[in-house]
Amino acid sequence: MRITALTGGIGGARFLRGLREHLRTRADTWAGADITVIGNTADDITLFGLRVCPDLDTVMYTLGGGIHDEQGWGRADETFNVSTELAAYEVPPDWFTLGDRDIATHIVRTQMLRAGWSLTDVTAALCTRWQPGVRLLPMSDDPVETHVVVLDDSGAREALHFQEWWVREQAKRTAQEFVYLGAAEAKPTATVLDALRDSDVVLLPPSNPVVSIGAILQIAGIGDALRSTAAPVVGVSPIIGDAPVRGMADACLSAIGVGTSAAAVAGHYGARIAGGLLDGWLVAEEDASTSAPAGVIQRSRPLLMTAIEDAAAIAGAALDLAIELRR
Ligand code: FO1
């Protein structure tokens, strides 16, 4: 049983940790199942000459056991000597905190990229150490960066790198528009397209529909591969009630004119029978009475991933819905 999931950062990584746990505890039913993760790389940023891939690293560290669990990003047991020294030299930026252990990951990645390795191969090499228990694939080996259009004091449009908007400014200036630099030229890797074609189940975890899942869908060919795969496609709502579980999904959704609700996100993804993505949609109990687009089978259950058992139960419910749809 081949399972493929498109994912972004923290929420997606926690969902995947639950999915892996679910398969392990239900090894009787799911023996031999494997997980392929198609990771968003449009949050990537180059700092101090190093290529940082936040969403790939969050999945790798979370599933590899090295994540700073409360933060959901960066390494556990970190020190910040390099960052402190860089600040002493007054070398910017100081608003994106890179820990000493995390910097080693970016050095290995950067030197392998410079030696000509693809990001897919670099990611596989880094995962040899971390053994995440999934195959982690960047959505593309070509660079893509999400930039956010905001208004400056004079009301003129100004573009910021996603990390500048989200981390440096804490999203305080309203996002007017998201621009995915490089997406028009970027190609999905053959490995990504094969995974989507050959999967038995495709899952859309509760990642940000705009800057995580949405960025992956900007890569030509990936949307088509999702719409044409024989696998059922089941999404998990990142919105509970009228609020995102975490992060900035509401600020992103409003920028693209999509309401902050499970039903609005499902409408944004669309029903596969109407040319969209979804066959199934998992919503929180609070949203059980809302309706997904015609043609999408909706189920509801608690969706808060407080402990790994919660994430495992949610992932299991998504998987069960997909299996139901396969019949
Ligand atoms: N998020 C923050 O809010 N502040 C930071 O200083 C920060 C540093 C950082 C370093 C490495 C990394 O992989 C992620 C980091 N993040 C930080 C999180 C990052 O902005 C998000 O994980 C994603 O880009 C959004 O999903």
Side-chain angles (χ1 to χ4, degrees):
M1 178 65 71
R2 291 155 301 187
I3 303 164
T4 295
L6 278 63
T7 193
I10 302 160
R14 287 183 175 157
F15 174 87
L16 290 167
R17 188 167 55 184
L19 177 63
R20 188 186 62 185
E21 179 70 9
H22 176 75
L23 297 183
R24 282 177 180 167
T25 54
R26 302 284 303 278
D28 50 321
T29 316
W30 292 98
D34 60 60
I35 303 170
T36 295
V37 178
I38 297 172
N40 169 43
T41 57
D43 286 359
D44 295 3
I45 187 169
T46 298
L47 296 170
F48 311 109
L50 299 176
R51 194 63 177 160
V52 179
C53 299
D55 283 353
L56 296 180
D57 290 349
T58 283
V59 172
M60 184 173 72
Y61 291 156
T62 300
L63 293 167
I67 195 77
H68 183 301
D69 217 40
E70 300 75 61
Q71 269 177 187
W73 54 266
R75 283 292 312 283
D77 311 320
E78 263 296 12
T79 52
F80 300 94
N81 297 303
V82 174
S83 290
T84 304
E85 291 301 302
L86 286 164
Y89 282 116
E90 296 180 10
V91 171
D94 61 359
W95 50 267
F96 197 80
T97 308
L98 291 176
D100 297 331
R101 295 177 186 274
D102 195 31
I103 286 171
T105 298
H106 311 316
I107 290 172
V108 172
R109 175 184 295 118
T110 303
Q111 70 181 20
M112 287 185 76
L113 289 171
R114 286 217 185 105
W117 294 84
S118 68
L119 184 58
T120 299
D121 291 342
V122 170
T123 306
L126 293 169
C127 286
T128 302
R129 171 194 170 183
W130 288 103
Q131 295 296 309
V134 302
R135 181 172 58 146
L136 178 56
L137 303 175
M139 65 190 191
S140 171
D141 285 333
D142 304 315
V144 181
E145 285 189 4
T146 301
H147 284 233
V148 186
V149 177
V150 298
L151 300 179
D152 67 16
D153 299 343
S154 69
R157 285 160 63 88
E158 177 190 350
L160 305 173
H161 186 286
F162 168 76
Q163 301 295 352
E164 291 179 302
W165 177 68
W166 175 235
V167 177
R168 191 185 70 196
E169 294 199 354
Q170 314 281 313
K172 77 171 177 297
R173 286 193 282 177
T174 305
Q176 307 292 322
E177 183 186 355
F178 291 94
V179 180
Y180 304 90
L181 296 188
E185 298 77 33
K187 293 180 297 303
T189 62
T191 319
V192 159
L193 294 180
D194 291 349
L196 289 171
R197 186 196 58 228
D198 300 338
S199 284
D200 298 297
V201 167
V202 175
L203 300 176
L204 301 184
S207 290
N208 187 306
V210 182
V211 294
S212 295
I213 306 274
I216 299 173
L217 296 173
Q218 295 294 320
I219 306 301
I222 292 185
D224 294 343
L226 273 168
R227 278 181 280 272
S228 59
T229 180
V233 178
V234 173
V236 179
S237 177
I239 308 291
I240 295 180
D242 292 333
V245 179
R246 65 173 295 132
M248 74 322 270
D250 46 347
C252 299
L253 287 164
S254 54
I256 63 168
V258 175
T260 299
S261 72
V265 173
H268 174 60
Y269 283 148
R272 190 121 80 118
I273 61 162
L277 306 176
L278 295 178
D279 296 305
W281 185 238
L282 195 57
V283 301
E285 289 164 316
E286 294 88 327
D287 301 310
S289 60
T290 63
S291 51
V296 178
I297 307 297
Q298 178 170 298
R299 295 280 182 277
S300 63
R301 69 169 328 277
L303 283 192
L304 274 180
M305 296 186 283
T306 315
I308 190 166
E309 294 72 23
D310 306 317
I314 293 162
L319 219 37
D320 290 348
L321 177 50
I323 298 304
E324 186 185 326
L325 292 169
R326 269 167 61 87
R327 291 195 190 95

